[in-house]
Amino acid sequence: MTVQPQSVGIVEARRVAFDEPLTLRCGATLPGYELVYETYGELNQDASNAVLICHALSGSHHVAGVYADNPKNTGWWDNLIGPGKPLDTRRFFVIGVNNLGGCFGSTGPATLHPETGKPWGADFPFVTVEDWVHTQARLADHLGIQRFAAVMGGSLGGMQAMSWSLQYPERVAHVIAIASAPHLSTENIAFNEVARQANLSDPDFHGGHYYTHGVVPARGLRLARMLGHITYLSDDSLAQKFGRALRHGKASFSYDIEFEVESYLRYQGERFAKFFDANTYLLTTRALDYFDPALEYGGDLAAALAPATADFLLVSFSTDWRFSPARSREIVHALVKNRLRVSYAEIPSPAGHDSFLLDNPQYHAVLRSYFARIGEQTCR
Amino acid sequence: MTVQPQSVGIVEARRVAFDEPLTLRCGATLPGYELVYETYGELNQDASNAVLICHALSGSHHVAGVYADNPKNTGWWDNLIGPGKPLDTRRFFVIGVNNLGGCFGSTGPATLHPETGKPWGADFPFVTVEDWVHTQARLADHLGIQRFAAVMGGSLGGMQAMSWSLQYPERVAHVIAIASAPHLSTENIAFNEVARQANLSDPDFHGGHYYTHGVVPARGLRLARMLGHITYLSDDSLAQKFGRALRHGKASFSYDIEFEVESYLRYQGERFAKFFDANTYLLTTRALDYFDPALEYGGDLAAALAPATADFLLVSFSTDWRFSPARSREIVHALVKNRLRVSYAEIPSPAGHDSFLLDNPQYHAVLRSYFARIGEQTCR
């Protein structure tokens, strides 16, 4: 097996169990839970070079590298993380973790309930960005990391990074929030609601207890993902990628695939329905909806961000209409009001929200130089 | 019963049967068909004051006024059409027609098939913008109208108005296309595809033959409409209308209605599923996808519009991202290349695509003055 140059190579997921009960924001208490995570690079002597990567809606702990038994399964941010890459694993110790409530190995709706021996299903409690950050802090304890050099994420991952600076200001030196927002817009909540209803109304959902029926609400997951994909791209990038090309050169008057974009969306939907869990999808969209640190400050984001002491890097992309540059600028303004050190880059990109996952040279150059600065500052 | 001032008052739908076979663009031939229509005002002596209104995705022939037995069912463009209104029925004879394949009385998927005695269902042939225009021309013949003073529509209705000028250039003096486009963008096709899949994958769809199963694919229709509604509004107007207000003041951690926008979308979806037909929805989204007069001219819209002789008024709305001003300007440029008389108004409006249905003073002033000009020119 050949490994790509600058790849972290073959990686292995690890699992850690926490026995201490965890009370969630929703009021429920989990008696204990497990988190699945991966690490790349080496933790240095004084544990000052750790970077936590927080994942978005459909992400996981598998951030970089490949698996020995599945060499095509490359981590979702592999283009960014590795020896010599913008987040250089020769210098930094990088951690990816599957969030609580997830469907890639951490305790979640598909996990067996300790009392009933059946999957939690719809009884799994609601989890929030704040809860995730608390569990990530337990993972940091476990790994012997008192303070992260950086916590970084895109989209929902950026919300977690931001929340770190409020919940554990003394434990994070730099926050990197990419294509993120201080809270979802009404339109975003509306899209989430359609995606949720697609799942909730699928007859195979069985009130969230589909596991015991031996089915999955694949129709709902497919629709949710198709819709999501439209909003992760820009109008222009869809036009550029697929145009109005007719599969058969002319209209064949059917509901089969006529236009190339239909083929793309159906493929993405099919694929997603095979690997993602509907209950995790529902929980995660609600976590997105609920995230709003300014809420208890009457909408005053600057007041909400007052506890933060970290340095910040915000990045947005010109054609991202789901988490537009204007949303990142709201965060920048609120941070500046708090006299924090803030860097902000608005990257020209045709690719919409998806840009945060892509190999855009300008974007990667910004991250490279920012991590170089972190390296000089925090990793002795 | 009191009728609003400037209302056309109580109206009645009429029905006309055409026995001549109609060969559609898809190749199928209907042995005959019926159209349901309404008229407001009086046709003048030389039949020079007729205005045809073409409806969009969910519209109907009920454009203005109310029904005696249902005084709350006001026509969908009632704010525009009536005595003293921008399209003044004291001067013009206005016609609304339910398109072929529709679900408000014209021959469509719910109509009984003449041979089987069962509803056509999924066997109803695909209809296109061009087919609709042909049937509308038969209706004009029936009413004794050789040439329309104007053909007008918004969104998909605007596409029909445009197509009139190509299919029957000698039969239309003015084309008024509002919030329209020369063809759907890739993103628009993508949204249509999600809405279609929601219906096609609903177990109650039964391959389009749900009528005989005594059910309707309500889940699919609800999802399609919820999604549609998001795209008919603007991000700003959603924020303005619903914000992030939590129903119970704080998160109650459930998938019930938490945010006001969820309540709005669910209501709109429920309502739509009760009055609209899924097969008509599918046919109409495909008619939208397929409309592309420039296709057989290698994408050269100016070449495609060469047959047109009408005067044109194009109107677009600043925050309409489904049929953006840029799309109307494409049409304007192609018409100007053909040295036609074109007026174009880009109306500042916060309300997105829906603006074409709303009572925006600047928009209505443009239409009022344009119809005054038509009146002077064409109605002797």
Side-chain angles (χ1 to χ4, degrees), chain B residues 24-52:
Chain B
L24 301 164
R25 223 185 101 194
C26 69
T29 298
L30 286 174
Y33 57 95
E34 295 185 358
L35 293 180
V36 165
Y37 67 98
E38 291 179 9
T39 67
Y40 324 113
E42 299 292 330
L43 189 62
N44 63 6
Q45 200 65 36
D46 62 353
S48 64
N49 70 335
V51 176
L52 175 68

Side-chain angles (χ1 to χ4, degrees), chain A residues 193 219 258 262 266 290, chain B residues 193 201 258 266 286 290:
Chain A
E193 171 65 4
R219 282 177 292 252
E258 284 279 67
E262 297 171 340
R266 289 192 203 181
Y290 287 141
Chain B
E193 172 65 3
S201 72
E258 284 279 68
R266 290 192 200 180
R286 262 305 188 221
Y290 286 141

